[in-house]
Amino acid sequence: MSGHVTEPVALAAGTLDPEEARQAEAHLRECAGCTAEAAAWRDVAGELGRLPAPKPSRTLVARTMRAVEECLAEREERAWNRAALGFLVAFAWTLAVLSWLVVDLVSGALALQLDRSVGSSAAWYAAYLVAGWLSAGAAAVLLGRRTREEGRVA
Amino acid sequence: MEGQRRARVGESLAALAPLDREVLTLRFEEELALPQLAQALGVPVPTAKARLYRALARLRGRLLLRAPAEEWR
Protein backbone atom coordinates (compact mmCIF):
# COMPACT_ATOMS: atom_id res chain seq x y z
CA MET A 1 0.00 0.00 0.00
CA SER A 2 1.34 3.42 -0.94
CA GLY A 3 0.23 4.76 2.43
CA HIS A 4 1.29 8.38 2.48
CA VAL A 5 -0.44 9.62 -0.64
CA THR A 6 -4.14 8.79 -0.92
CA GLU A 7 -5.15 7.21 2.38
CA PRO A 8 -5.91 10.32 4.42
CA VAL A 9 -8.10 11.83 1.71
CA ALA A 10 -9.73 8.46 0.99
CA LEU A 11 -10.53 8.02 4.69
CA ALA A 12 -12.24 11.41 4.78
CA ALA A 13 -14.04 10.72 1.52
CA GLY A 14 -15.32 7.44 2.94
CA THR A 15 -14.44 5.50 -0.19
CA LEU A 16 -12.33 2.72 1.37
CA ASP A 17 -13.76 -0.75 1.82
CA PRO A 18 -13.65 -2.09 5.41
CA GLU A 19 -10.37 -3.98 4.94
CA GLU A 20 -8.63 -0.98 3.35
CA ALA A 21 -10.01 1.29 6.07
CA ARG A 22 -8.64 -1.05 8.75
CA GLN A 23 -5.19 -1.04 7.15
CA ALA A 24 -5.30 2.74 6.78
CA GLU A 25 -6.24 3.21 10.46
CA ALA A 26 -3.35 0.90 11.42
CA HIS A 27 -1.02 3.03 9.31
CA LEU A 28 -2.31 6.21 10.97
CA ARG A 29 -1.41 4.84 14.40
CA GLU A 30 2.21 4.59 13.32
CA CYS A 31 2.49 7.75 11.22
CA ALA A 32 2.01 11.16 12.87
CA GLY A 33 2.19 12.97 9.54
CA CYS A 34 -0.64 10.95 8.05
CA THR A 35 -2.67 11.34 11.26
CA ALA A 36 -2.50 15.12 10.98
CA GLU A 37 -3.32 14.94 7.29
CA ALA A 38 -6.30 12.69 7.93
CA ALA A 39 -7.58 15.06 10.61
CA ALA A 40 -7.32 18.01 8.22
CA TRP A 41 -9.20 16.16 5.47
CA ARG A 42 -11.85 15.07 7.97
CA ASP A 43 -12.36 18.69 8.99
CA VAL A 44 -13.01 19.71 5.40
CA ALA A 45 -15.24 16.72 4.67
CA GLY A 46 -17.10 17.16 7.97
CA GLU A 47 -17.94 20.79 7.19
CA LEU A 48 -19.09 19.77 3.73
CA GLY A 49 -21.49 17.25 5.24
CA ARG A 50 -22.93 19.86 7.60
CA LEU A 51 -23.50 22.54 4.98
CA PRO A 52 -27.14 23.54 4.79
CA ALA A 53 -28.66 22.23 1.58
CA PRO A 54 -29.62 25.21 -0.59
CA LYS A 55 -33.35 25.49 -1.25
CA PRO A 56 -34.34 26.13 -4.87
CA SER A 57 -36.79 28.95 -5.50
CA ARG A 58 -40.45 28.11 -6.15
CA THR A 59 -40.28 29.47 -9.68
CA LEU A 60 -37.29 27.29 -10.49
CA VAL A 61 -39.05 24.19 -9.16
CA ALA A 62 -42.25 25.02 -11.07
CA ARG A 63 -40.38 25.72 -14.29
CA THR A 64 -38.33 22.54 -13.98
CA MET A 65 -41.42 20.44 -13.28
CA ARG A 66 -43.11 21.90 -16.34
CA ALA A 67 -40.09 21.22 -18.51
CA VAL A 68 -39.94 17.62 -17.27
CA GLU A 69 -43.65 17.11 -17.91
CA GLU A 70 -43.35 18.54 -21.41
CA CYS A 71 -40.40 16.28 -22.10
CA LEU A 72 -42.31 13.21 -20.86
CA ALA A 73 -45.40 14.11 -22.91
CA GLU A 74 -43.25 14.54 -26.01
CA ARG A 75 -41.61 11.17 -25.47
CA GLU A 76 -45.02 9.52 -25.02
CA GLU A 77 -46.29 11.15 -28.19
CA ARG A 78 -43.24 9.94 -30.09
CA ALA A 79 -43.75 6.38 -28.84
CA TRP A 80 -47.41 6.56 -29.88
CA ASN A 81 -46.41 7.86 -33.32
CA ARG A 82 -43.98 4.99 -33.78
CA ALA A 83 -46.64 2.45 -32.84
CA ALA A 84 -49.14 4.08 -35.21
CA LEU A 85 -46.57 4.08 -38.01
CA GLY A 86 -45.81 0.39 -37.44
CA PHE A 87 -49.50 -0.44 -37.55
CA LEU A 88 -49.98 1.56 -40.76
CA VAL A 89 -47.07 -0.18 -42.48
CA ALA A 90 -48.40 -3.61 -41.52
CA PHE A 91 -51.89 -2.61 -42.64
CA ALA A 92 -50.56 -1.30 -45.97
CA TRP A 93 -48.74 -4.56 -46.65
CA THR A 94 -51.86 -6.60 -45.84
CA LEU A 95 -53.89 -4.44 -48.19
CA ALA A 96 -51.26 -4.75 -50.94
CA VAL A 97 -51.29 -8.52 -50.74
CA LEU A 98 -55.09 -8.73 -50.60
CA SER A 99 -55.46 -6.33 -53.49
CA TRP A 100 -53.68 -8.84 -55.73
CA LEU A 101 -56.94 -10.77 -55.81
CA VAL A 102 -58.92 -7.68 -56.75
CA VAL A 103 -56.50 -6.64 -59.48
CA ASP A 104 -56.52 -10.15 -60.90
CA LEU A 105 -60.33 -10.15 -60.97
CA VAL A 106 -60.72 -6.64 -62.45
CA SER A 107 -58.12 -7.10 -65.17
CA GLY A 108 -59.73 -10.43 -66.12
CA ALA A 109 -63.20 -8.85 -66.32
CA LEU A 110 -61.86 -5.91 -68.38
CA ALA A 111 -60.20 -8.28 -70.83
CA LEU A 112 -63.49 -10.16 -71.24
CA GLN A 113 -65.55 -7.00 -71.71
CA LEU A 114 -63.19 -5.37 -74.20
CA ASP A 115 -62.77 -8.73 -75.86
CA ARG A 116 -59.06 -8.24 -76.16
CA SER A 117 -56.01 -8.56 -74.01
CA VAL A 118 -55.27 -5.69 -71.60
CA GLY A 119 -51.97 -7.14 -70.50
CA SER A 120 -51.24 -9.68 -67.82
CA SER A 121 -52.73 -9.16 -64.36
CA ALA A 122 -49.19 -9.32 -62.91
CA ALA A 123 -48.19 -6.21 -64.87
CA TRP A 124 -51.29 -4.40 -63.62
CA TYR A 125 -50.46 -5.40 -60.10
CA ALA A 126 -46.87 -4.19 -60.44
CA ALA A 127 -48.08 -0.82 -61.75
CA TYR A 128 -50.53 -0.59 -58.84
CA LEU A 129 -47.77 -1.32 -56.29
CA VAL A 130 -45.36 1.21 -57.83
CA ALA A 131 -48.04 3.90 -57.82
CA GLY A 132 -48.82 3.07 -54.19
CA TRP A 133 -45.19 3.27 -53.10
CA LEU A 134 -44.61 6.52 -55.00
CA SER A 135 -47.59 8.25 -53.38
CA ALA A 136 -46.58 6.91 -49.94
CA GLY A 137 -43.04 8.23 -50.47
CA ALA A 138 -44.34 11.66 -51.50
CA ALA A 139 -46.60 11.76 -48.42
CA ALA A 140 -43.65 10.80 -46.17
CA VAL A 141 -41.47 13.58 -47.63
CA LEU A 142 -44.24 16.16 -47.16
CA LEU A 143 -44.91 15.02 -43.58
CA GLY A 144 -41.21 15.08 -42.74
CA ARG A 145 -40.87 18.61 -44.06
CA ARG A 146 -43.85 19.79 -42.03
CA THR A 147 -42.50 18.18 -38.84
CA ARG A 148 -39.12 19.85 -39.37
CA GLU A 149 -40.79 23.21 -39.86
CA GLU A 150 -42.85 22.73 -36.69
CA GLY A 151 -39.66 21.87 -34.82
CA ARG A 152 -38.04 25.07 -36.04
CA VAL A 153 -41.00 27.17 -34.92
CA ALA A 154 -41.25 25.56 -31.46
CA MET B 1 -15.94 30.74 14.68
CA GLU B 2 -17.78 27.56 13.69
CA GLY B 3 -20.20 29.55 11.58
CA GLN B 4 -17.37 31.43 9.90
CA ARG B 5 -15.67 28.18 9.01
CA ARG B 6 -18.85 26.75 7.54
CA ALA B 7 -19.51 29.91 5.56
CA ARG B 8 -16.01 29.74 4.11
CA VAL B 9 -16.55 26.11 3.10
CA GLY B 10 -19.81 27.11 1.44
CA GLU B 11 -18.17 29.98 -0.43
CA SER B 12 -15.22 27.85 -1.51
CA LEU B 13 -17.55 25.11 -2.69
CA ALA B 14 -19.54 27.63 -4.72
CA ALA B 15 -16.32 28.90 -6.30
CA LEU B 16 -15.23 25.45 -7.48
CA ALA B 17 -15.62 24.25 -11.06
CA PRO B 18 -19.05 22.65 -11.66
CA LEU B 19 -17.50 19.18 -12.09
CA ASP B 20 -15.79 19.41 -8.69
CA ARG B 21 -18.87 20.86 -7.01
CA GLU B 22 -21.05 18.11 -8.48
CA VAL B 23 -18.98 15.23 -7.12
CA LEU B 24 -18.66 16.82 -3.66
CA THR B 25 -22.38 17.54 -3.44
CA LEU B 26 -23.29 13.99 -4.46
CA ARG B 27 -20.86 12.47 -1.95
CA PHE B 28 -21.26 14.69 1.10
CA GLU B 29 -24.75 16.19 0.79
CA GLU B 30 -26.62 13.43 -1.02
CA GLU B 31 -24.36 10.92 0.75
CA LEU B 32 -24.14 8.56 -2.20
CA ALA B 33 -21.82 5.55 -1.85
CA LEU B 34 -19.06 5.24 -4.41
CA PRO B 35 -20.86 2.88 -6.86
CA GLN B 36 -23.99 5.07 -6.86
CA LEU B 37 -21.83 8.16 -7.18
CA ALA B 38 -20.09 6.70 -10.25
CA GLN B 39 -23.46 5.79 -11.74
CA ALA B 40 -24.83 9.27 -11.13
CA LEU B 41 -21.79 10.80 -12.82
CA GLY B 42 -21.90 8.26 -15.64
CA VAL B 43 -18.23 7.26 -15.22
CA PRO B 44 -16.39 4.15 -13.97
CA VAL B 45 -15.79 3.82 -10.22
CA PRO B 46 -12.01 4.59 -10.38
CA THR B 47 -12.73 7.77 -12.34
CA ALA B 48 -15.35 8.83 -9.80
CA LYS B 49 -12.89 8.16 -6.99
CA ALA B 50 -10.17 10.21 -8.68
CA ARG B 51 -12.60 13.06 -9.32
CA LEU B 52 -13.73 12.99 -5.70
CA TYR B 53 -10.16 13.16 -4.35
CA ARG B 54 -9.22 15.88 -6.80
CA ALA B 55 -12.29 17.94 -5.93
CA LEU B 56 -11.59 17.59 -2.20
CA ALA B 57 -7.99 18.64 -2.79
CA ARG B 58 -9.10 21.72 -4.76
CA LEU B 59 -11.60 22.63 -2.06
CA ARG B 60 -8.94 22.32 0.62
CA GLY B 61 -6.56 24.39 -1.50
CA ARG B 62 -9.12 27.19 -1.67
CA LEU B 63 -9.78 27.01 2.06
CA LEU B 64 -6.06 27.27 2.81
CA LEU B 65 -5.86 30.35 0.59
CA ARG B 66 -8.75 32.03 2.39
CA ALA B 67 -8.27 31.05 5.99
CA PRO B 68 -5.46 31.12 8.53
CA ALA B 69 -3.35 28.04 7.96
CA GLU B 70 -3.81 26.62 11.46
CA GLU B 71 -7.54 26.47 10.97
CA TRP B 72 -7.24 23.79 8.26
CA ARG B 73 -3.69 22.65 9.10
Side-chain angles (χ1 to χ4, degrees):
Chain A
M1 249 196 182
S2 57
H4 298 303
V5 191
T6 60
E7 269 166 20
V9 63
L11 268 175
T15 52
L16 296 179
D17 60 44
E19 174 58 15
E20 285 174 326
R22 199 190 54 74
Q23 286 177 3
E25 295 288 357
H27 173 72
L28 288 194
R29 275 194 290 278
E30 293 160 6
C31 178
C34 278
T35 304
E37 267 295 288
W41 286 114
R42 275 187 183 135
D43 276 358
V44 177
E47 288 297 342
L48 266 181
R50 284 189 291 272
L51 278 182
K55 282 216 175 70
S57 76
R58 279 165 191 275
T59 17
L60 179 65
V61 172
R63 228 182 299 153
T64 311
M65 288 302 288
R66 211 187 52 208
V68 168
E69 271 160 25
E70 270 170 19
C71 186
L72 285 177
E74 201 182 306
R75 201 181 293 176
E76 202 174 316
E77 193 186 318
R78 241 180 251 156
W80 198 90
N81 282 348
R82 253 199 303 273
L85 190 69
F87 172 76
L88 281 179
V89 168
F91 185 64
W93 272 108
T94 313
L95 272 190
V97 170
L98 284 182
S99 63
W100 161 252
L101 299 171
V102 179
V103 170
D104 195 32
L105 210 75
V106 168
S107 63
L110 263 180
L112 266 183
Q113 202 140 55
L114 299 175
D115 200 22
R116 62 192 167 91
S117 168
V118 285
S120 75
S121 55
W124 277 95
Y125 185 61
Y128 166 79
L129 269 191
V130 168
W133 277 112
L134 280 181
S135 49
V141 168
L142 286 177
L143 265 179
R145 198 178 291 169
R146 209 192 70 180
T147 310
R148 253 204 309 279
E149 240 138 58
E150 272 174 2
R152 216 175 293 144
V153 170
Chain B
M1 195 60 200
E2 271 295 295
Q4 256 184 2
R5 236 167 82 137
R6 193 156 309 163
R8 269 201 286 270
V9 172
E11 284 162 24
S12 302
L13 181 68
L16 285 179
L19 220 61
D20 291 336
R21 203 163 54 233
E22 182 187 30
V23 71
L24 291 178
T25 308
L26 289 175
R27 180 69 191 95
F28 294 101
E29 279 173 34
E30 306 294 327
E31 298 185 338
L32 296 186
L34 202 52
Q36 284 77 41
L37 177 70
Q39 201 176 21
L41 295 175
V43 299
V45 168
T47 312
K49 212 190 268 190
R51 266 197 209 172
L52 179 59
Y53 296 165
R54 199 168 52 221
L56 261 181
R58 289 203 181 118
L59 179 70
R60 193 181 170 204
R62 277 182 189 276
L63 288 169
L64 285 174
L65 278 182
R66 285 160 154 264
E70 67 269 20
E71 199 176 310
W72 299 103
R73 276 163 284 194

